[in-house]
Amino acid sequence: MTNAQTVTELQPRMTREQLIDAARKAAPLLPPAYRGIMTELANRLDISSVALCEAMQQRSVLAIENTLLRDDVTCWAKECDRIVERHTKKRTNMHLLEAQRELRELTPVTDSVIKEFKSNAVDELAILYRKFADEKGCSVNIQCSYRLTAERAESYAAYIRREEKAGEDVNNG
């Protein structure tokens, strides 16, 4: 990067790594008063990005653990209902219904993360099917089938995201 380069030559949407690298390369070209500030901004962005990535990984792990715990609570509630049924000789699902109601109130964030996982996985499936369609030696019929499957996957991922957004609007509104 030289002093003659203009800001318009930079990519409109750089990745985080590209932005940090560009800031570090631009710092020596700046006047001394701004050089340290640019370097410090690049360092802080780098550090906060690492922290954000770690937090997102922890969130994903906690969401998975939370889902497993929810499943355990549901299983225990069903077992309680079976015990009550055995002793009273009447079918009941009172414990299960109560557990489901309380779990719904406790874990909207987990549901959000799980839906995000699902939509991302379906997007990856669409990308995979598009790659299959672009392979050489693939017949036209198979290509059409792969592309149709990819379109359906993209549509379903969008549906999951809309459903999630609608759920957020209901919770916030």
Side-chain angles (χ1 to χ4, degrees), residues 7 28 49 68-69 79 157:
V7 175
S49 297
L68 293 173
L69 290 172
E79 185 60 28

Side-chain angles (χ1 to χ4, degrees), residues 24-170:
R24 288 189 173 136
K25 287 179 181 175
L29 304 173
L30 294 172
Y34 299 107
R35 193 173 298 152
I37 294 171
M38 181 62 78
T39 303
E40 183 65 22
L41 283 171
N43 290 338
R44 287 191 185 190
L45 177 59
D46 195 13
I47 291 167
S48 61
S49 297
V50 169
L52 177 62
C53 289
E54 288 177 7
M56 290 173 62
Q57 287 175 340
Q58 289 172 353
R59 181 187 81 164
S60 298
V61 168
L62 289 172
I64 292 168
E65 287 177 9
N66 197 343
T67 301
L68 293 173
L69 290 172
R70 289 175 68 175
D71 291 344
D72 287 347
V73 167
T74 302
C75 287
W76 279 106
K78 287 178 181 178
E79 185 60 28
C80 288
D81 285 338
R82 280 193 283 275
I83 291 169
V84 168
E85 185 178 331
R86 210 174 302 134
H87 290 302
T88 63
K89 305 294 186 219
K90 294 181 182 177
R91 281 186 66 75
T92 182
N93 62 353
M94 163 182 69
H95 294 94
L96 178 60
L97 292 173
E98 181 68 18
Q100 288 173 337
R101 185 181 61 78
E102 289 185 17
L103 288 172
R104 243 189 330 270
E105 293 171 2
L106 292 175
T107 57
V109 174
T110 300
D111 294 339
S112 171
V113 172
I114 297 300
K115 286 181 181 177
E116 181 182 325
F117 286 156
K118 286 179 182 178
S119 64
N120 288 341
V122 174
D123 280 336
E124 289 177 22
L125 179 70
I127 291 168
L128 182 67
Y129 272 94
R130 290 208 184 278
K131 285 180 183 176
F132 289 160
D134 294 337
E135 287 181 2
K136 292 187 180 198
C138 193
S139 73
V140 174
N141 288 341
I142 297 297
Q143 285 179 343
C144 290
S145 176
Y146 284 149
R147 288 191 178 111
L148 179 62
T149 302
E151 288 174 16
R152 288 181 177 163
E154 291 164 346
S155 175
Y156 186 63
Y159 169 78
I160 293 170
R161 288 188 182 95
R162 277 193 310 272
E163 186 180 61
E164 174 58 27
K165 184 161 176 37
E168 287 176 4
D169 291 344
V170 168

Side-chain angles (χ1 to χ4, degrees), residues 1-6 26 28-30:
M1 185 177 281
T2 65
N3 288 336
Q5 285 181 316
T6 62
L29 304 173
L30 294 172

